[in-house]
Amino acid sequence: MVGSASQATGCHAAGHYHQTGGHLLSRQRSGQRHLARRLTQLYGGLVLYGASSALLVRSGLGLEPWNVLHQGLAERTGLSMGVVLTLLGAAVLLLWIPLRQRPGLGTISNVLVIGAAMDATLAVVPDAHGWTPRIAMMVAGIVLNGAATGLYIAARFGPGPRDGLMTGLNQRTGLSVRLVRTAVETTVVVTGFALGGTVGAGTLLYAVTIGPLAQVFLRVFAVPSASDGSAVVATGQSRRAILRR
């Protein structure tokens, strides 16, 4: 009887060990799939962001606020817009130091990927001619930009350098994100326009639609939590910097 009891206890312990090991292995695989999805969303979103910005350039009907500045600087320096975007992104990132902001993988990737994707798209997509193609390209660029924003923010790898600048200024000055963003983007648009950047209907349409579009796509691309499978939408200051206007 004693031997039978010991054998039964040993079998139970072995079964429990295998069950626990299997559970841990399952969680590890789930975590790997979760990370793979987040990375795919991050880099897919950044590439799409650069491509969508290039479509707005080719439409000739106006650019996003920061790209008005990038285009103006590109006109003055002879550099490509993508290179200017990358260099200015790195410079803005340096401003995080006094603002005590911490970059994440998404922040560094934002600096490196978007400009390259923009230049690659500009190299293969010609300027649109005629009002119908130009308007179609402008609308496509704005909608795809909203999707790209939702993709990379929902991946939760950290804000882009320009968004981090706005949240950093919000935290250091106590001013609202809305006010900080308005002041910063008004400054870059005016400066970019003075340097030769394109301001037009696309600039205005982008300003009034990107917040709602990004909000929709944030929910579409919300990444389920690795622990319980529930959907998680990016939250906090970095999200408000993009969506609040």
Side-chain angles (χ1 to χ4, degrees):
M1 294 291 292
V2 174
S4 298
S6 299
Q7 184 178 12
T9 301
C11 290
H12 176 74
H16 177 71
Y17 173 79
H18 287 299
Q19 183 180 12
T20 302
H23 180 64
L24 290 175
L25 181 60
S26 176
R27 289 190 62 182
Q28 183 180 22
R29 289 175 178 171
S30 176
Q32 291 172 345
R33 289 193 298 269
H34 182 257
L35 178 60
R37 171 172 173 174
R38 290 176 62 208
L39 288 170
T40 298
Q41 283 200 196
L42 170 64
Y43 290 106
L46 293 177
V47 169
L48 184 59
Y49 196 103
S52 65
S53 294
L55 293 181
L56 287 172
V57 173
R58 292 307 191 206
S59 77
L61 293 177
L63 305 176
E64 316 98 293
W66 279 93
N67 274 335
V68 175
L69 178 59
H70 298 150
Q71 188 181 53
L73 289 172
E75 292 286 338
R76 297 289 180 170
T77 62
L79 299 173
S80 70
M81 276 190 70
V83 170
V84 170
L85 186 153
T86 300
L87 293 176
L88 190 59
V92 170
L93 194 55
L94 293 177
L95 297 177
W96 282 34
I97 298 174
L99 296 175
R100 299 177 182 176
Q101 297 291 289
R102 293 183 179 181
L105 175 63
T107 311
I108 305 302
S109 299
N110 187 296
V111 173
L112 299 176
V113 175
I114 292 180
M118 176 186 284
D119 277 350
T121 306
L122 289 173
V124 297
V125 177
D127 288 333
H129 298 286
W131 281 107
T132 299
R134 293 176 70 190
I135 292 172
M137 193 169 285
M138 175 190 69
V139 172
I142 293 173
V143 173
L144 290 175
N145 195 277
T149 300
L151 274 168
Y152 86 79
I153 295 178
R156 306 192 314 278
F157 279 108
R162 295 157 186 82
D163 297 315
L165 173 65
M166 294 173 194
T167 56
L169 289 171
N170 159 251
Q171 292 168 7
R172 298 289 287 178
T173 65
L175 299 174
S176 69
V177 173
R178 186 190 302 271
L179 179 59
V180 170
R181 179 166 190 139
T182 300
V184 170
E185 292 193 347
T186 299
T187 300
V188 300
V189 167
V190 171
T191 304
F193 180 71
L195 293 173
T198 304
V199 175
T203 309
L204 178 61
L205 185 61
Y206 182 91
V208 299
T209 61
I210 191 60
L213 282 171
Q215 182 73 61
V216 169
F217 284 112
L218 270 168
R219 298 192 179 282
V220 171
F221 297 120
V223 180
S225 170
S227 59
D228 59 14
S230 60
V232 178
V233 177
T235 58
Q237 293 284 354
S238 61
R239 177 170 173 259
R240 290 204 301 270
I242 292 176
L243 301 183
R244 289 185 61 182
R245 292 182 175 274

